[in-house]
């Protein structure tokens, strides 16, 4: 078994105390998918009436589990649902073997739970291009089913980790009309992280009652402001999956409710930030605020151009207030910009304005901002009302070390 990596310096102090979500139970086990004696498979089983929504990678080489999940969305909620996830192998670029593995795992879960196969969703994460040893997973399904427990969400979070250095969880409690609903979610992701989802698996559960179509619309909209606004290394995975399950066990109808939407967004934003904080080799958490763009879409393009620039990210790693690299990234983004209208700030330190370095700027002030563990870069384009915020991390030698040895 590979030695565990040091926990990210940006990690939360501990895994959060997540509330129990009525209507869903969890279990995890060590199946030996890649390493022996490492928890690497989790099962979640939801009660009848559970609505399931999902957003997935738009990669043209997406995996067999992703394609299977996409095909099953919108199926009847009458029988409940199940999700089985393994780490250690992504079951991607595996041809007909990938489809066969999904079918055999799905059938085994359906047999154990009594669910129809079209309500069993699977996901795999890990190495691409190697056949999934699905027999090892199938052999653990009886054990998983026997150990299902509504309080075992933290164990599920640990089971889906690959190069993650910490398990990721977040929750929210929302009041609606004097009644309470709960939301809790887990995520994995550390490298191969870019918008259009990323090498992420995210599972969010709520006891609210929401129809599938409304849940799907809400999830996709919030995803564009959260998970699709983060990047670690500009690479989009074959396996990205984000699923949201509403069990309805609270009896509280949250359809179209603004408080529920806000709570869901808090959970998704928290989880997406944790993914960035666990970026492979990361030592800095970076928020990039773009204002004054010709449109919101242009603002996001500029923000991601800065966030994905290796030169910007390595300057941040070296604590170098190199604002010229920010100018470079804006210029190459393809979105509308005017050199002589730009202003750039590091934190509250105005660095450049009107196409030139600010007359009041002092290098030591910029350097002090770069020395911080959490950094804010602000750019105003001076063109309009468009704005966007994206999040990223620095790029260090450790990122190369992790990925150079990933398959070993």
């Amino acid at each position: 078994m590979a030695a565990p990596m040091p926990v990210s310096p940006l990690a939360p102090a501990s895994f959060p105390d997540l509330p129990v979500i009525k209507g869903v139970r969890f279990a995890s086990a060590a199946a030996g998918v890649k390493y022996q004696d490492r928890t690497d498979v989790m099962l979640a089983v939801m009660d009848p009436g559970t609505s399931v929504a999902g957003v997935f990678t738009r990669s043209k080489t997406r995996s067999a589990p992703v394609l299977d999940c996409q095909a099953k969305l919108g199926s009847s909620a009458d029988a409940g649902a199940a999700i089985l996830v393994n780490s250690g192998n992504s079951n991607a670029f595996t041809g007909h073997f990938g489809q066969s593995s999904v079918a055999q795992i799905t059938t085994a879960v359906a047999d154990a739970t009594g669910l129809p196969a079209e309500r069993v969703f699977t996901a795999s994460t890990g190495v691409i291009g190697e056949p999934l040893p699905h027999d090892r997973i199938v052999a653990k399904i009886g054990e998983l089913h026997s150990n299902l427990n509504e309080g075992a969400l933290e164990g599920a979070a640990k089971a889906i980790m690959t190069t993650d250095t910490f398990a990721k969880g977040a929750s929210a409690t929302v009041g609606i009309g004097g009644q309470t609903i709960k939301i809790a979610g887990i995520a994995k992701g550390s490298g191969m992280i870019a918008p259009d989802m990323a090498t992420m698996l995210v599972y969010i559960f709520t006891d609210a009652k929401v129809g599938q179509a409304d849940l799907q619309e809400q999830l996709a909209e919030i995803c564009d402001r959260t998970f699709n606004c983060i990047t670690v290394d500009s690479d989009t995975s074959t396996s990205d999956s984000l699923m949201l399950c509403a069990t309805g066990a609270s009896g509280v109808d949250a359809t179209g409710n603004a408080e529920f939407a806000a709570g869901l967004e808090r959970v998704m934003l928290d989880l997406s930030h944790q993914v960035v904080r666990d970026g492979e080799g990361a030592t800095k958490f970076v928020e990039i605020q773009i204002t004054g763009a010709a449109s919101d879409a242009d603002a996001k393009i500029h923000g991601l151009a800065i966030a994905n620039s290796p030169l910007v990210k390595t300057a941040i790693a070296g604590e170098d207030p190199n604002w010229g690299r920010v100018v470079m990234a804006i210029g190459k983004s393809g979105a509308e910009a005017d050199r002589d209208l730009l202003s750039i700030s590091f934190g509250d330190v105005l660095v450049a304005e009107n196409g030139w370095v600010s007359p009041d700027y002092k290098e030591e002030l910029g350097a002090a901002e770069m020395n911080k563990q959490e950094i804010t870069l602000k750019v105003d384009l001076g063109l309009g009302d468009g704005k966007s915020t994206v999040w990223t991390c620095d790029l260090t030698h450790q990122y190369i070390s992790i990925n150079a040895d990933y398959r070993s």
Side-chain angles (χ1 to χ4, degrees):
M1 178 175 173
M5 287 176 287
V7 175
S8 168
L10 305 172
S14 62
F15 191 84
D17 185 15
L18 300 181
V20 166
I21 305 298
K22 294 294 184 182
V24 57
R25 297 169 294 147
F26 307 92
S28 54
V33 173
K34 184 176 182 182
Y35 302 112
Q36 295 300 312
D37 303 319
R38 173 171 167 172
T39 304
D40 58 2
V41 61
M42 81 88 165
L43 176 66
V45 177
M46 283 73 73
D47 287 352
T50 298
S51 300
V52 179
V55 290
F56 303 89
T57 179
R58 285 178 273 192
S59 167
K60 300 300 183 184
T61 55
R62 55 194 182 274
S63 69
V66 168
L67 293 170
D68 186 65
C69 286
Q70 289 178 309
K72 291 175 176 176
L73 281 184
S75 56
S76 172
D78 293 345
I83 298 171
L84 185 138
V85 184
N86 75 268
S87 60
N89 182 308
S90 72
N91 193 18
F93 198 60
T94 48
H96 70 275
F97 294 106
Q99 298 166 19
S100 176
S101 292
V102 170
Q104 293 193 55
I105 292 170
T106 298
T107 299
V109 172
D111 289 344
T113 59
L115 291 167
E118 63 267 22
R119 292 294 286 175
V120 178
F121 302 87
T122 69
S124 298
T125 181
V127 173
I128 294 171
E130 297 181 5
L132 177 68
H134 59 260
D135 55 315
R136 302 176 192 175
I137 298 170
V138 169
K140 289 289 181 176
I141 289 174
E143 175 187 330
L144 288 163
H145 187 251
S146 297
N147 292 334
L148 287 168
N149 186 301
E150 63 182 10
L153 188 51
E154 181 176 356
K158 292 177 179 177
I160 64 177
M161 294 166 56
T162 51
T163 58
D164 303 62
T165 69
F166 63 91
K168 301 165 182 66
S171 67
T173 301
V174 179
I176 298 178
Q179 296 177 292
T180 300
I181 59 173
K182 298 174 182 177
I183 308 167
I186 59 174
K188 69 81 50 180
S190 188
M192 206 185 289
I193 300 292
D196 286 343
M197 300 300 297
T199 181
M200 297 181 299
L201 299 180
V202 184
Y203 298 99
I204 302 172
F205 305 90
T206 178
D207 57 8
K209 182 179 180 181
V210 187
Q212 197 279 334
D214 291 314
L215 199 67
Q216 183 67 42
E217 182 179 357
Q218 201 162 52
L219 179 66
E221 179 184 339
I222 296 174
C223 189
D224 275 343
R225 297 193 296 270
T226 56
F227 286 100
N228 279 347
C229 284
I230 65 171
T231 179
V232 167
D233 50 18
S234 81
D235 283 334
T236 298
S237 170
T238 59
S239 306
D240 312 330
S241 303
L242 191 167
M243 299 190 74
L244 171 61
C245 304
T247 69
S250 68
V252 181
D253 191 341
T255 302
N257 184 273
E259 287 80 7
F260 172 71
L264 179 59
E265 185 156 354
R266 287 197 303 274
V267 170
M268 291 173 64
L269 191 62
D270 189 338
L271 289 172
S272 67
H273 284 187
Q274 288 186 55
V275 170
V276 172
R277 291 178 182 279
D278 204 14
E280 290 170 341
T283 66
K284 308 277 190 181
F285 178 82
V286 186
E287 179 172 292
I288 300 170
Q289 300 175 2
I290 306 295
T291 56
S295 65
D296 288 350
D298 269 14
K300 190 171 183 179
I301 291 170
H302 283 303
L304 291 172
I306 296 167
N308 283 323
S309 166
L311 289 177
V312 172
K313 292 159 75 70
T314 50
I316 293 170
E319 301 183 340
D320 176 11
N322 192 335
W323 54 271
R325 292 184 177 180
V326 177
V327 174
M328 172 279 300
I330 293 167
K332 74 168 186 177
S333 77
E336 187 176 349
D338 184 326
R339 179 197 64 194
D340 295 333
L341 297 177
L342 283 179
S343 67
I344 300 169
S345 298
F346 295 160
D348 292 327
V349 176
L350 181 64
V351 176
E353 58 182 337
N354 302 320
W356 193 250
V357 64
S358 171
D360 297 323
Y361 175 66
K362 294 180 175 58
E363 185 78 358
E364 60 268 25
L365 297 178
E369 290 296 320
M370 291 295 105
N371 287 338
K372 295 179 180 178
Q373 197 172 60
E374 302 203 5
I375 296 169
T376 301
L377 301 184
K378 302 176 185 177
V379 175
D380 191 276
L381 279 299
L383 297 172
D385 297 324
K387 61 183 179 180
S388 180
T389 302
V390 302
W391 297 271
T392 191
C393 58
D394 55 345
L395 181 60
T396 68
H397 291 288
Q398 183 65 13
Y399 178 88
I400 298 170
S401 299
I402 292 168
N403 286 284
D405 296 334
Y406 182 65
R407 292 203 306 159
S408 62

